[in-house]
Amino acid sequence: MPTTPTTDRKPVYAVAGAADAAVAALRELPAKVSEAVADDKLRDEFRSRFAELPADVKAFRAGFPDLLLQAQSKASDLPQRVREMLNQAGREAGKAYEEWALRGEGVVTRLRGQYGPAVDGAIASVRGRVADAADEVAEATEKAADDLQAKKG
């Protein structure tokens, strides 16, 4: 008689969903890299930005003192901004967790459908073998007890 598990499966589903999302992203990666490498517009933009890099560094160095002054004036707002960013990150993490759990539940359901009958059969077979082994141990124990009793008597 099957029993209903009392544990929360959502973390398992979330892990399965995250793994499935990671695998899907990795499967797409070679095509995206090939596409980016073959993209003339992207290569031209990269060359242009690389050519502008020395001028950008020079401009950054020239504006660095002003940047420090601006940073000092904004430092008082920093704790509130950090709290807001942490709250937003928490909401985004919760949303991702929910999405992964939902996706993972689908993955687990699909895998159960594919492999469940085979696993159930293997479990039944193992249970049968364990029961047989327990019976053999019980018989051997009874025989040993009888032999000891016979030697004493």
Side-chain angles (χ1 to χ4, degrees), residues 3-98:
T3 60
T4 304
T6 59
T7 58
D8 182 14
R9 293 181 176 177
K10 196 172 201 176
V12 173
Y13 291 152
V15 168
D20 188 55
V23 167
L26 288 173
R27 284 186 178 142
E28 294 173 3
L29 188 60
K32 287 183 178 182
V33 169
S34 295
E35 183 181 313
V37 168
D39 187 348
D40 290 334
K41 183 178 177 183
L42 183 63
R43 286 198 315 241
D44 290 343
E45 184 178 332
F46 178 75
R47 284 187 192 110
S48 172
R49 287 185 184 219
F50 189 73
E52 295 169 1
L53 188 59
D56 290 345
V57 169
K58 188 175 181 179
F60 177 77
R61 285 178 59 193
F64 190 68
D66 291 337
L67 184 64
L68 281 178
L69 290 174
Q70 290 174 4
Q72 287 175 345
S73 71
K74 292 181 180 183
S76 62
D77 296 340
L78 191 58
Q80 179 60 32
R81 289 187 51 116
V82 168
R83 277 192 291 277
E84 290 170 4
M85 290 170 64
L86 286 174
N87 287 337
Q88 179 64 26
R91 286 190 296 274
E92 293 296 323
K95 182 180 172 186
Y97 179 78
E98 293 296 328

Side-chain angles (χ1 to χ4, degrees), residues 70-151:
Q70 290 174 4
Q72 287 175 345
S73 71
K74 292 181 180 183
S76 62
D77 296 340
L78 191 58
Q80 179 60 32
R81 289 187 51 116
V82 168
R83 277 192 291 277
E84 290 170 4
M85 290 170 64
L86 286 174
N87 287 337
Q88 179 64 26
R91 286 190 296 274
E92 293 296 323
K95 182 180 172 186
Y97 179 78
E98 293 296 328
E99 289 173 2
W100 286 341
L102 185 62
R103 181 177 186 152
E105 188 172 7
V107 169
V108 169
T109 299
R110 186 181 75 238
L111 291 175
R112 275 189 186 142
Q114 289 175 346
Y115 301 107
V119 170
D120 290 343
I123 289 172
S125 174
V126 167
R127 283 184 178 153
R129 289 180 186 174
V130 168
D132 292 345
D135 289 344
E136 289 176 19
V137 167
E139 288 174 18
T141 303
E142 286 178 21
K143 184 177 182 321
D146 290 345
D147 288 347
L148 277 174
Q149 198 69 336
K151 284 185 181 181

